[in-house]
Amino acid sequence: MVRLLRIAVITVLGFLLSTLVVLAFDTESRLGLDTLFKIRGPQTPPDQVVIVAMDEASETRFSVGQDLTRWREFHAKLLDHLNRQGASLIVFDLQFITSNPSVDPMLADAMRAAGKVLINECVQKFRRGVEDFYGREECSDRNKMPAISREGAPETTLSEQLVVMRKLSPTPAIAQAALDSAPFFLINDSENASIRESWTFYDALAEAPSLPVLAWFYYQQASSANPEEQPLSAWLTAQRRACANSPNLDHRAKQLICAGDSRYLNYYGPPRTLRMESYADVYEGKVEDLQGKVIFVGRANRQFSPGKSDFFQTPYSDSRTGKMAGVEIMATQFANLLEDSFIEIPAPGWFLSSVFGLLIALLLVGFAGWPGIALSLVFASAYAGSAVWLFGQHHWWLPVAGPLLIQLPLSWLLSLAWSRYDLMCERGRILEFVSRVFPQWVGMLPAAPGQWTETANAGSARSEKDVSGLCLATDIEGYTTIAAQHSPREMWELLNTYYQVLGHPVVSHDGVIADVTGDAMMAVWFDAPVSNQRRAACLAALDMATAVESFNLSSSLAPLATRIGLHEGELTLGSLDTGASSHYRAIGDTVNTASRIQGVNKYLGTRILASHSIAADLDDIVSRPVGTFRVVGRTEPVTLVEIVDLKHGSDAKSNKVHRIFADGLAAFQQGLWTEAARLFQAALAIDANDGPSHFYLQKTLASSELAPLEWDGIVVLDGK
């Protein structure tokens, strides 16, 4: 139960803390996902994707500066070059919001002639009016006003909680000439925010598809025998609204349209990993091999230049590579669609983290201390290696930051704390044991772990201790005869194993072995509630008898029949100085009486005898009275009981013999010799091996001439 509790605590605490940290600091994305990208390294992008970059060289050559409307006079000729080279699709990452009447008609004619041009729609996002405004490029300054202000209430500001998104359509002349249009919105509201996922659909904008998704469906339709009705943007919106009722969609298309509204981008590398050609070079016809390509036209620096707008952090961004242009992110999403290679999460993060934490907890609890930590480190390394391999081979993203950086160290700390606690408890038990049996050693033990000094606790050290306890004495029947039949070495090996068997029940039932001499052992129980001491001693005695029986069956030498006696009372635990050495003993009449009681077993043919008070209130122990005896060396008689078995181990035959014997014993103690003899004979008729019935039958026959008035019911034993 304790082990299960520790496993549960380590698992739950590790999971909860890692979840809190991940949610609060976006640790899994910032450390986990970004690190996986960097370990994996760049990959080869599909060659169907080409970016035509409106770069610094083109700005200089055309003298257009930062005004995007001035580029339009060059777009018509660019479209003509791309169309003549056989480009499959041309996607402008430009919004064309502001009209330019002098060149828009020519550009519109070129778009219609090409018949394969898709354009971007501007998306603006507002929070608290103009204080928090997000929009890309041509969502120009004159459009930076709250949507609520455009409704006629310019003095009203939006609340902190209210978020508004709106879409600004391209100028009508351009919008009508393009094949189709869709938004592509990227949030760039923080200097250090990285773009890790991108929308596939904008549900806040009436389920509009994103521009890369729209481009992918047009690209797929070009090779389809059954093209869908155009424009596809309206068709895709209708399909998303009716996902459950769209049987004509294949599995991949249905997953894309219906499952979620965003996907994690699988970046191929740092900026400029995708094929990128300068706008001016394409415009002037210097670039070949564009047949069948999907062309993305947009602003992109060919050389890293900080401070430019519409450039974003990605997992590969650093001071050397710089940020990635929005058109590259758009082309990356299209390439992922083309190869079906988005980053996927194979199972919920909470489930994977929970399983990781559970396995770590099992290792730490199952192999306490440093072995568990070493094994958990091996497992964590294997998990990290699997996460890297799965990310590189299958684009699967397993959580690594939370499990490895939070759950694993926290699990180690909890495991070490429990190991420390267990060590303190163990040393506490050692100190208690020594203080009971070897009090003069207490000064050598620490008051707390890590303080092993000779002076620690020296003030409490004593050479003896008076206690009220219970003593268990054992003896081997016929030991002298057995020893005479074997060599000293054989007896040493036999007794060495025998006392290990005999001592284990004592220790397991919280007893203390006070002395071992020749064929006898003495154990004591003290400093515990009396009922607990009595029950523990009886259980230890029964376990001893069973263990010795098994030991004798497995031994190749003579069997060691063991007799056990139990008695309780006052005794002294201490050392006896014999010159240069000291010997620790349990001393007192209680010890001597226990030894005498075990000797009574020899007369009664029993295994375990105890003074009657010991078993009086033990409901789960089967015992029976065996009479009152005056043993050698003791004036006061002792009333004894036989400890027979645990209650569930007794049988009906034994119970019947015990009842008849008890009646016979009562008659014997009253001097009713004829009745006593009859009852003892009846008991032996049922169980011919019942030792107490044999003993008392002989005593009854020997005392048959003694008058009851001259009889006190006490059996006098002349020998040990």
Side-chain angles (χ1 to χ4, degrees):
M1 183 59 70
V2 174
R3 292 164 66 91
L4 291 177
L5 178 62
R6 292 185 178 185
I7 290 171
V9 170
I10 291 175
T11 304
V12 173
L13 282 183
F15 169 73
L16 290 178
L17 183 60
S18 67
T19 300
L20 289 174
V21 173
V22 166
L23 292 177
F25 301 102
D26 195 22
T27 309
E28 202 56 63
S29 295
R30 295 174 60 192
L31 293 178
L33 182 59
D34 293 4
T35 300
L36 288 172
F37 270 117
K38 288 181 172 63
I39 292 175
R40 186 199 68 181
Q43 291 191 326
T44 303
D47 62 1
Q48 297 99 314
V49 180
V50 179
I51 297 172
V52 174
M54 299 162 61
D55 56 5
E56 306 93 330
S58 302
E59 289 179 1
T60 302
R61 196 174 308 179
F62 298 146
S63 301
V64 292
Q66 298 296 314
D67 187 354
L68 291 176
T69 61
R70 296 179 60 187
W71 284 83
R72 294 186 194 174
E73 60 183 285
F74 304 99
H75 291 339
K77 184 177 178 182
L78 177 74
L79 287 173
D80 181 59
H81 277 299
L82 295 173
N83 195 34
R84 281 191 287 106
Q85 287 204 46
S88 178
L89 199 64
I90 303 166
V91 183
F92 276 97
D93 185 26
L94 301 169
Q95 286 91 35
F96 301 104
I97 296 172
T98 305
S99 63
N100 187 344
S102 62
V103 297
D104 284 356
M106 180 176 62
L107 176 58
D109 290 340
M111 286 183 173
R112 275 190 288 268
K116 58 183 75 170
V117 179
L118 303 177
I119 59 176
N120 198 354
E121 295 178 332
C122 173
V123 175
Q124 292 179 315
K125 186 175 181 180
F126 300 93
R127 188 175 69 236
R128 295 190 313 222
V130 295
E131 296 179 38
D132 286 334
F133 163 82
Y134 315 111
R136 294 181 58 211
E137 291 296 331
E138 285 189 90
C139 294
S140 55
D141 289 340
R142 69 184 186 86
N143 292 305
K144 289 184 180 179
M145 63 180 70
I148 194 169
S149 296
R150 298 174 71 87
E151 299 297 327
E155 73 284 354
T156 306
T157 57
L158 300 178
S159 70
E160 172 67 24
Q161 291 77 24
L162 181 60
V163 175
V164 173
M165 292 184 71
R166 72 161 177 235
K167 183 170 65 173
L168 301 180
S169 300
T171 183
I174 302 297
Q176 294 169 9
L179 175 62
D180 212 336
S181 63
F184 185 69
F185 178 69
L186 294 173
I187 295 178
N188 191 25
D189 57 351
S190 174
E191 291 247 346
N192 297 318
S194 291
I195 302 297
R196 298 183 182 87
E197 57 182 319
S198 183
W199 275 293
T200 53
F201 281 84
Y202 300 94
D203 292 341
L205 296 172
E207 292 86 27
S210 70
L211 186 54
V213 170
L214 182 66
W216 182 74
F217 272 96
Y218 272 110
Y219 184 78
Q220 296 296 109
Q221 183 174 270
S223 59
S224 173
N226 300 303
E228 301 293 343
E229 60 183 28
Q230 296 183 5
L232 286 184
S233 57
W235 178 81
L236 285 170
T237 295
Q239 292 300 315
R240 182 164 178 82
R241 291 173 178 173
C243 271
N245 302 312
S246 302
N248 296 328
L249 294 173
D250 62 33
H251 176 72
R252 187 179 172 195
K254 190 165 186 176
Q255 283 289 106
L256 178 62
I257 294 173
C258 302
D261 59 357
S262 66
R263 305 291 288 273
Y264 282 97
L265 295 171
N266 182 14
Y267 287 99
Y268 295 92
R272 297 170 297 283
T273 298
L274 293 169
R275 180 184 173 186
M276 184 179 290
E277 305 290 349
S278 174
Y279 186 105
D281 291 342
V282 178
Y283 180 85
E284 294 171 358
K286 297 179 181 179
V287 179
E288 304 293 337
D289 187 28
L290 296 178
Q291 183 174 359
K293 310 297 184 186
V294 178
I295 309 298
F296 289 86
V297 183
R299 300 193 66 181
N301 290 340
R302 302 272 291 170
Q303 296 178 350
F304 172 47
S305 178
K308 294 281 187 178
S309 61
D310 201 43
F311 285 81
F312 304 87
Q313 290 273 94
T314 71
Y316 284 104
S317 296
D318 55 34
S319 58
R320 182 180 59 84
T321 63
K323 299 179 180 179
M324 182 174 284
V327 67
E328 287 185 89
I329 297 176
M330 178 188 293
T332 297
Q333 185 178 8
F334 177 82
N336 289 171
L337 287 163
L338 205 60
E339 296 186 323
D340 192 19
S341 62
F342 286 104
I343 299 300
E344 303 288 349
I345 301 176
W350 63 265
F351 174 77
L352 294 172
S353 295
S354 298
V355 172
F356 177 88
L358 177 61
L359 293 175
I360 289 293
L362 287 171
L363 289 173
L364 292 175
V365 175
F367 303 89
W370 293 110
I373 291 178
L375 288 173
S376 66
L377 183 60
V378 171
F379 169 73
S381 300
Y383 175 83
S386 300
V388 171
W389 185 82
L390 289 171
F391 187 82
Q393 297 298 316
H394 300 285
H395 320 302
W396 284 4
W397 175 18
L398 271 62
V400 289
L404 298 179
L405 300 181
I406 301 171
Q407 285 180 276
L408 183 62
L410 178 62
S411 299
W412 285 348
L413 287 175
L414 289 172
S415 175
L416 289 174
W418 263 315
S419 295
R420 178 75 171 179
Y421 172 77
D422 290 340
L423 178 61
M424 292 176 68
C425 291
E426 182 63 25
R427 288 183 175 175
R429 286 191 289 269
I430 293 173
L431 181 61
E432 181 184 3
F433 171 79
V434 174
S435 65
R436 289 179 182 177
V437 185
F438 310 118
Q440 73 181 44
W441 287 3
V442 174
M444 296 296 294
L445 294 178
Q451 301 174 357
W452 292 96
T453 63
E454 293 188 10
T455 58
N457 306 314
S460 62
R462 296 175 55 195
S463 61
E464 73 282 331
K465 182 177 182 179
D466 296 327
V467 298
S468 177
L470 189 151
C471 185
L472 180 151
T474 74
D475 186 73
I476 300 175
E477 182 179 350
Y479 174 75
T480 302
T481 303
I482 296 172
Q485 297 171 355
H486 301 282
S487 68
R489 169 59 63 179
E490 289 176 332
M491 289 305 300
W492 183 89
E493 292 176 352
L494 178 66
L495 291 178
N496 185 52
T497 307
Y498 168 78
Y499 280 120
Q500 292 182 39
V501 170
L502 210 61
H504 180 72
V506 174
V507 176
S508 64
H509 289 288
D510 300 321
V512 176
I513 299 174
D515 189 19
V516 175
T517 304
D519 63 333
M521 185 183 80
M522 194 71 66
V524 292
W525 281 260
F526 54 94
D527 287 350
V530 173
S531 59
N532 291 359
Q533 291 179 175
R534 292 171 175 172
R535 185 175 187 278
C538 289
L539 292 175
L542 289 169
D543 288 350
M544 275 184 183
T546 303
V548 169
E549 185 176 344
S550 299
F551 169 77
N552 288 333
L553 290 174
S554 63
S555 175
S556 59
L557 300 180
L560 303 180
T562 301
R563 301 187 293 248
I564 302 171
L566 300 169
H567 189 59
E568 60 183 352
E570 301 299 320
L571 50 88
T572 297
L573 297 175
S575 63
L576 296 175
D577 294 327
T578 56
S581 62
S582 296
H583 301 274
Y584 290 87
R585 296 287 187 272
I587 301 169
D589 180 62
T590 301
V591 177
N592 296 331
T593 303
S595 179
R596 294 293 183 264
I597 290 174
Q598 70 81 14
V600 178
N601 285 285
K602 177 173 60 175
Y603 296 96
L604 297 182
T606 50
R607 299 180 305 167
I608 307 169
L609 292 175
S611 51
H612 75 285
S613 60
I614 290 176
D617 299 321
L618 301 180
D619 295 334
D620 58 339
I621 303 292
V622 177
S623 63
R624 62 165 169 171
V626 291
T628 302
F629 298 84
R630 184 173 286 110
V631 296
V632 175
R634 199 172 195 275
T635 305
E636 290 296 321
V638 290
T639 301
L640 303 180
V641 296
E642 179 189 6
I643 306 299
V644 180
D645 203 346
L646 292 173
K647 184 154 289 187
H648 62 76
S650 61
D651 55 31
K653 177 182 176 182
S654 297
N655 292 337
K656 186 175 181 181
V657 171
H658 294 171
R659 287 195 299 271
I660 296 173
F661 173 80
D663 293 339
L665 179 61
F668 174 84
Q669 291 175 334
Q670 296 172 30
L672 304 177
W673 311 118
T674 303
E675 178 65 11
R678 184 187 68 79
L679 290 169
F680 292 138
Q681 289 171 345
L684 289 170
I686 299 173
D687 183 1
N689 296 316
D690 186 50
S693 295
H694 269 295
F695 173 79
Y696 277 103
L697 179 59
Q698 297 301 319
K699 280 290 182 183
T700 300
L701 296 176
S703 306
S704 59
E705 296 180 0
L706 189 66
L709 293 177
E710 301 175 3
W711 170 242
D712 59 4
I714 298 174
V715 178
V716 178
L717 298 177
D718 298 326
K720 295 182 181 180

